[in-house]
Amino acid sequence: MLARINADPEVMRYRFKPLTRQETDELIDEFEACFDEHGFGLWAVERTVDGQLLGYVGLEVAGDDAPYRPLIHIGWHLAADAWGRGYATEAATAVLDHAFDELALAELIAHTTAPNERSRAVMRRLGMHRDPHDDFDAQWYPEGHPYRRFVLYRITAEEWRARKAGDGPVR
Ligand SMILES: CC(C)(COP(=O)(O)OP(=O)(O)OC[C@H]1O[C@@H](n2cnc3c(N)ncnc32)[C@H](O)[C@@H]1OP(=O)(O)O)[C@@H](O)C(=O)NCCC(=O)NCCS
């Protein structure tokens, strides 16, 4: 099922290209290696009414050479027919709760290529905020590529708790 989601050009619009079945299998191996190493990673998102796999949402760890800190970021990736229903925001809310309450992280970031407005909207809905000084060029895109410029949003544990308590800043 994830292979079908990753083969959709609409879902993969801001990546290099749709993935083959084998590439998705390799991706799942990477996800599992992350869980083995860190105890967290990208979780499968299923619709509760029927168990349908919608995609994944969770935490990823960048290498030490990443142009940002902290190295752990939250990400989301859903089937196109699951967009527009709040599933990414709902799943990301559970991930933020887990990250701050169980893993005791102090701060989380999210990043995406600047034109990926849907992903940026999830960040804003979660109360994450952007300082343009944090924006960076993604080295995995070649010079001059239209998706090379990335925006970065962040939220601290304190900000998340204040928001959940209803007294966080409305951005
Ligand atoms: C990024 C991505 C996960 C965003 O999905 P999304 O459906 O736009 O985001 P959400 O699931 O939070 O849904 C929000 C939408 O549902 C609507 N909605 C309906 N019920 C809702 C609810 N209970 N709560 C929140 N939003 C709700 C919102 O109004 C919003 O609608 P809009 O898009 O018309 O403004 C999705 O576009 C995707 O998977 N893209 C491909 C992969 C990708 O680019 N990932 C990011 C890489 S950095």
Side-chain angles (χ1 to χ4, degrees):
M1 185 59 201
L2 186 59
R4 204 181 318 156
I5 295 170
N6 290 346
D8 181 350
E10 178 66 10
V11 174
M12 302 306 285
R13 179 167 167 197
Y14 296 112
R15 309 285 169 108
F16 285 104
K17 58 175 179 49
L19 300 189
T20 63
R21 173 65 199 248
Q22 192 189 329
E23 286 166 336
T24 289
D25 284 346
E26 288 165 6
L27 194 64
I28 292 170
D29 288 344
E30 284 175 29
F31 294 175
E32 289 179 351
C34 182
F35 278 100
D36 288 345
E37 186 176 352
H38 301 287
F40 59 76
L42 290 158
W43 286 275
V45 175
E46 294 179 356
R47 193 161 49 206
T48 42
V49 282
D50 57 3
Q52 170 88 28
L53 179 74
L54 303 179
Y56 54 81
V57 173
L59 302 173
E60 291 179 273
V61 187
D64 284 338
D65 58 345
Y68 49 75
R69 292 294 183 272
L71 293 176
I72 301 177
H73 69 267
I74 183 168
W76 27 74
H77 181 95
L78 298 183
D81 61 5
W83 297 359
R85 294 177 170 83
Y87 293 143
T89 301
E90 182 182 342
T93 296
V95 171
L96 284 164
D97 281 343
H98 182 75
F100 293 135
D101 295 342
E102 309 297 326
L103 304 176
L105 300 184
E107 186 179 40
L108 263 182
I109 60 165
H111 54 65
T112 189
T113 179
N116 192 346
E117 186 46 46
R118 271 191 175 273
S119 188
R120 296 176 65 161
V122 177
M123 297 171 200
R124 289 193 296 267
R125 269 193 294 280
L126 293 167
M128 303 182 85
H129 45 90
R130 170 184 171 228
D131 177 344
H133 290 108
D134 284 334
D135 292 357
F136 64 97
D137 286 331
Q139 303 305 316
W140 51 94
Y141 282 108
E143 293 275 358
H145 193 288
Y147 298 159
R148 188 169 154 99
R149 195 67 185 157
F150 266 51
V151 291
L152 186 147
Y153 288 66
R154 54 179 79 236
I155 189 165
T156 64
E158 211 169 72
E159 288 165 343
W160 178 245
R161 291 196 184 108
R163 187 176 176 82
K164 294 205 79 177
D167 55 2
V170 178
R171 296 178 195 264

